[in-house]
Amino acid sequence: MLHSNDSLLVTQGNVSARGRASISQLLDRKILQSACYFEHLESTNTTAIKYVQEAEINRDSLPRLIVADQQTSGRGRHGRSWNSDTGTLTFSLVISTDEVKKRERIAGLGSIAVGVAIARCVEYEFAPLKIRLKWPNDIYLGGGKLGGILMEMIGNHPECVVIGVG
């Protein structure tokens, strides 16, 4: 199923109507240029990297969001796995920049910046919850890990950065 402006591709399964509506708003407001939504997927980051390497993403379709209602073989830092059940938000965002200085800043502080943004959003939406960040990429609620961030540069496409959240 394609979104009315052909930028939302629901590629498989019975995806959440609420999730589809949320992504459609981001597309309509031009915050995203394209999105792919899966009921389940092995890894949103792996899929994003594959799309870039196989030229299934062009500059006009960035930023592109890849969302899965369930992730079965997600990756974390140092080769750790990150899996999710249904109802857990897992996504990757592919962004592009031609400027080396911006890429260096994204690589150096990107995970913590994304973590701060997520913490602020969760605290706003679910007050009085308090989110804690653990350097460099972990998000904690109370005593448990709520999620993590994995940022990856793509070797043969240095202009693209994949930001994964799970």
Side-chain angles (χ1 to χ4, degrees), residues 7 31 34-35 53 122:
S7 56
I31 294 168
S34 63
Q53 290 175 333
V122 170

Side-chain angles (χ1 to χ4, degrees), residues 34-89:
S34 63
C36 297
Y37 192 173
F38 297 83
E39 181 178 17
H40 56 83
L41 194 61
E42 287 186 10
S43 165
T44 59
N45 264 33
T46 299
T47 300
I49 291 168
K50 178 183 168 195
Y51 283 169
V52 171
Q53 290 175 333
E54 294 179 0
E56 293 181 34
I57 296 178
N58 62 45
R59 293 186 68 90
D60 295 336
S61 66
L62 296 178
R64 174 174 285 181
L65 180 67
I66 292 118
V67 179
D69 284 335
Q70 180 180 19
Q71 183 171 256
T72 58
S73 296
R75 295 180 290 110
R77 288 175 36 118
H78 308 296
R80 294 183 183 108
S81 64
W82 182 263
N83 301 324
S84 67
D85 56 11
T86 56
T88 302
L89 180 61

Side-chain angles (χ1 to χ4, degrees), residues 88-154:
T88 302
L89 180 61
T90 54
F91 67 90
S92 294
L93 183 66
V94 183
I95 61 172
S96 176
T97 179
D98 287 330
E99 297 177 41
V100 173
K101 287 183 181 180
K102 283 185 181 177
R103 279 197 304 277
E104 289 171 355
R105 277 183 277 180
I106 289 169
L109 294 174
S111 289
I112 200 69
V114 171
V116 168
I118 291 169
R120 291 185 72 185
C121 178
V122 170
E123 288 176 350
Y124 176 80
E125 289 292 323
F126 302 102
L129 293 180
K130 294 293 180 197
I131 300 297
R132 187 173 52 88
L133 301 177
K134 178 182 170 197
W135 178 264
N137 68 334
D138 292 334
I139 305 162
Y140 279 82
L141 174 61
K145 185 172 177 180
L146 181 64
I149 299 144
L150 179 64
M151 297 190 68
E152 298 184 274
M153 309 293 253
I154 303 170

